[in-house]
Amino acid sequence: MKKENALYKYRFLIASVLTVLLFIALWAFVVESGLVSTKYLPAPRQILSTFVQKLTDPKPEGSTLITNILSSIKVATVGFLIAVVLGITLGLFMGWYTPVEKFVKPVFEIIRPIPPVAWIPITIMLFGIGFKAKAFIIFFGGFIPCVINAYTGIQLTNRTLINVAKTYGASSWKIFWSVGLPSSVQMIFAGIRIALGVSWMTLVAAEMLAADSGLGYMILMGRQFARPDVIVLGMLIIGGIGALLSFILTRLEHKFEHWREKR
């Protein structure tokens, strides 16, 4: 019985692992059988070999794999965290206080459709090239979904709960903290998850700003030196780190769900 319960509990994890293994097996078959040339798609064993080599070898772009990973995580984390803090704050206040919404929303609606990469030229003029410029591009990619989801979440607060709180004499701030914020937690985390994905997607574009290290820079140099193994390795690591961060975010969301239920 205990074994059956354990299997039931971890069935999705087992299914995910099997799916990944099946994908790798299919990838290896396609390459090893010659259906796709290794000039365009390296085999999994070649990626593994490149991974081990890049741990200590800075070629071809001039940095080891660890250096590139740390560089990307640093710039992505700074841009993403600033986007989360400012985006959620602005979205909540826009959704809760009508004067703030009337003042900010027209400008926000103009800025919202602009893709993050479109800010690259003006970012170079404002911040030059380097860490600040790259962090700003990532910030803008994550900022918009955080604002939209926080705004939507607070707007969906049950009006009956708000009216009951007003009846008992609660202040606007007390209602916001005890009713509005807990009810918007799910939408806020949905926005954070979208922001996380967008931030990692804009990483390569951000590291096009004259970077000398980073996973995006490694991918670009892999293209320049005709090294598909380096390109695919960089892509897989970006995907792997993104999946790990998404898992951590899911665990954090569960913690906040317990807080929401207590409120």
Side-chain angles (χ1 to χ4, degrees):
M1 181 66 69
K2 290 184 177 179
K3 289 184 178 180
E4 291 179 358
N5 290 336
L7 288 174
Y8 181 80
K9 182 179 179 180
Y10 295 106
R11 66 191 187 283
F12 293 115
L13 176 60
I14 295 171
S16 298
V17 172
L18 290 176
T19 302
V20 171
L21 292 176
L22 180 62
F23 172 77
I24 294 174
L26 181 61
W27 173 11
F29 171 77
V30 168
V31 176
E32 300 292 349
S33 63
L35 293 176
V36 178
S37 172
T38 54
K39 292 189 299 183
Y40 307 111
L41 179 65
R45 56 184 175 82
Q46 187 179 355
I47 299 299
L48 181 60
S49 176
T50 303
F51 170 77
V52 174
Q53 178 188 350
K54 283 292 297 175
L55 290 174
T56 55
D57 187 359
K59 296 177 183 177
E61 80 285 354
S63 299
T64 63
L65 185 60
I66 300 300
T67 301
N68 286 325
I69 291 174
L70 292 178
S71 177
S72 291
I73 289 178
K74 182 180 178 181
V75 67
T77 300
V78 170
F80 171 71
L81 289 180
I82 295 175
V84 168
V85 172
L86 296 184
I88 291 175
T89 302
L90 179 61
L92 289 174
F93 278 92
M94 280 176 59
W96 192 258
Y97 296 105
T98 303
V100 177
E101 179 185 11
K102 298 296 184 183
F103 182 74
V104 176
K105 194 172 182 180
V107 177
F108 178 76
E109 288 298 325
I110 294 173
I111 296 175
R112 183 174 60 87
I114 303 174
V117 292
W119 289 88
I120 290 179
I122 195 170
T123 300
I124 295 175
M125 290 188 288
L126 288 172
F127 301 107
I129 55 177
F131 181 84
K132 289 182 180 180
K134 292 182 287 185
F136 179 78
I137 298 300
I138 293 173
F139 155 78
F140 193 83
F143 176 73
I144 301 300
C146 285
V147 173
I148 293 173
N149 281 60
Y151 171 83
T152 304
I154 202 77
Q155 285 270 300
L156 293 175
T157 303
N158 192 320
R159 302 303 303 180
T160 301
L161 297 177
I162 295 175
N163 292 332
V164 169
K166 287 180 178 179
T167 301
Y168 281 93
S171 64
S172 179
W173 173 253
K174 180 67 175 178
I175 299 172
F176 170 80
W177 181 256
S178 301
V179 179
L181 188 58
S183 70
S184 61
V185 164
Q186 287 184 324
M187 286 297 294
I188 287 174
F189 270 94
I192 294 174
R193 188 171 284 106
I194 295 171
L196 179 64
V198 175
S199 295
W200 276 102
M201 283 191 292
T202 57
L203 180 66
V204 175
E207 289 181 338
M208 288 175 64
L209 299 174
D212 56 6
S213 64
L215 294 171
Y217 178 74
M218 186 178 85
I219 291 172
L220 291 174
M221 291 299 100
R223 178 181 66 103
Q224 183 172 325
F225 288 99
R227 290 284 303 274
D229 56 327
V230 173
I231 296 172
V232 174
L233 176 62
M235 293 168 61
L236 289 176
I237 292 176
I238 288 176
I241 294 174
L244 177 61
L245 293 176
S246 180
F247 172 77
I248 294 172
L249 187 61
T250 301
R251 302 300 297 178
L252 185 62
E253 183 178 1
H254 291 329
K255 297 289 184 183
F256 273 86
E257 276 294 317
H258 293 316
W259 171 80
R260 183 176 73 90
E261 292 171 359
K262 290 178 180 179
R263 302 299 292 184

